[in-house]
Amino acid sequence: MGESPNALVKDKSPEPGADQPLVVLADVEKYFGELHVLRGINMTINRGEVVVVIGPSGSGKSTLCRAINRLEGIQSGTITIDGQPLPAEGRDLARLRSEVGMVFQQFNLFAHKTVVENVMLGPIKVRKVSRDEAHKTAMELLGRVGVGNQADKYPAQLSGGQQQRVAIARALAMRPKIMLFDEPTSALDPEMVNEVLEVMTALAKDGMTMVVVTHEMGFARRAANRVVFMADGQIVEQNTPDEFFTNPQSDRAKDFLSKILTH
């Protein structure tokens, strides 16, 4: 893979658990109409920490992820990023979103722009960097996620796994403080999953702060500092991967693991 994808992105972070909160959610409540999707969420994510959020479908995992950069609003509670409360709208929200990279289930690349243009767009439009600088950074990042040789192609000419790696490079080009991944491999064919997880694992090793909603338990075991298990809109338990997978505390987690780890 060459150098790791995060080398361009931030100075080396302190070790996880250095008690430097980057994201703090306090008493977060979220409804969709009558449906109570987030119930009293309290969670702190430290700099350099990789938090993997797992749980059954409909447990609120994706909503939690999307609330962190206000793609979903919340009814009550607070979310702060790097000490700043999440702005409701406007220029402050746009600035905050530029510091929170997001990778979705669907790749959301611009079909009419080449791969390298997709990665250059944010830095030019939002960060106001020069085209030359944006191009240089984009090419380095595309090389680091293993698709440098696809730079002049259009998204439709790439496999799903390649498109998702471009989406990761695009998020990294904004030099975010934290990366959010909302089920980044669930739309991929099975043989493409690992190539995306490898890029994410390299990012994790480099100290990028990450929140990852995923069904990939192997990634959770390998890359997470902490596993957060959600059910019915609540955080049921959280622990290190070793402790969570070998010694789950709650009946809900035991039931969930018995269903997924026997197949």
Side-chain angles (χ1 to χ4, degrees):
M1 253 289 262
E3 286 185 74
S4 56
N6 199 26
L8 286 175
V9 179
K10 282 277 161 197
D11 297 333
K12 192 68 176 157
S13 299
E15 286 300 306
D19 292 332
Q20 291 194 312
L22 184 60
V23 180
V24 179
L25 296 91
D27 301 321
V28 170
E29 304 279 344
K30 167 70 179 174
Y31 290 84
F32 289 124
E34 295 288 300
L35 192 62
H36 199 173
V37 287
L38 295 178
R39 301 166 180 258
I41 299 292
N42 290 288
M43 184 163 80
T44 297
I45 299 153
N46 289 327
R47 290 178 197 281
E49 192 177 20
V50 179
V51 176
V52 173
V53 184
I54 64 173
S57 293
S59 58
K61 307 183 300 292
S62 289
T63 305
L64 174 72
C65 192
R66 293 164 69 87
I68 292 173
N69 72 347
R70 216 176 181 95
L71 280 174
E72 296 287 358
I74 59 174
Q75 267 71 39
S76 63
T78 59
I79 302 175
T80 59
I81 297 182
D82 214 1
Q84 301 296 312
L86 220 49
E89 55 191 22
R91 197 170 283 175
D92 287 342
L93 181 59
R95 183 188 53 73
L96 174 118
R97 281 204 182 128
S98 73
E99 297 182 342
V100 181
M102 183 101 192
V103 178
F104 301 89
Q105 195 170 339
Q106 302 299 338
F107 323 123
N108 294 359
L109 299 173
F110 290 108
H112 62 288
K113 292 187 178 294
T114 64
V115 162
V116 72
E117 286 169 345
N118 266 280
V119 179
M120 290 167 62
L121 191 63
I124 290 171
K125 293 269 190 206
V126 180
R127 296 271 191 237
K128 308 300 184 198
V129 306
S130 69
R131 281 195 69 84
D132 284 350
E133 186 187 339
H135 187 272
K136 179 171 179 281
T137 300
M139 290 304 296
E140 288 178 16
L141 284 168
L142 289 169
R144 287 175 188 175
V145 300
V147 289
N149 58 347
Q150 311 290 334
D152 295 324
K153 291 185 177 175
Y154 288 89
Q157 296 174 282
L158 272 55
S159 72
Q162 289 171 325
Q163 289 187 62
Q164 193 61 296
R165 285 184 281 158
V166 172
I168 293 171
R170 177 183 59 182
L172 290 174
M174 295 296 288
R175 302 181 183 272
K177 293 177 178 176
I178 181 171
M179 289 276 284
L180 310 176
F181 295 84
D182 186 9
E183 303 200 9
T185 59
S186 59
L188 299 176
D189 291 333
E191 69 271 17
M192 296 174 190
V193 168
N194 279 343
E195 65 192 55
V196 173
L197 293 178
E198 279 175 16
V199 171
M200 292 167 60
T201 302
L203 271 181
K205 283 182 178 160
D206 264 8
M208 171 58 81
T209 311
M210 294 163 61
V211 177
V212 183
V213 174
T214 187
H215 296 288
E216 298 293 336
M217 297 302 139
F219 174 81
R221 284 177 182 268
R222 188 169 66 244
N225 300 111
R226 175 162 41 127
V227 173
V228 171
F229 174 72
M230 291 185 70
D232 303 319
Q234 295 174 300
I235 295 175
V236 176
E237 67 176 281
Q238 46 188 322
N239 215 326
T240 63
D242 279 352
E243 277 296 311
F244 178 77
F245 285 108
T246 58
N247 188 26
Q249 300 298 302
S250 64
D251 290 340
R252 286 303 305 265
K254 287 173 187 169
D255 181 56
F256 176 77
L257 290 173
S258 72
K259 286 174 177 165
I260 59 164
L261 296 180
T262 52
H263 299 298

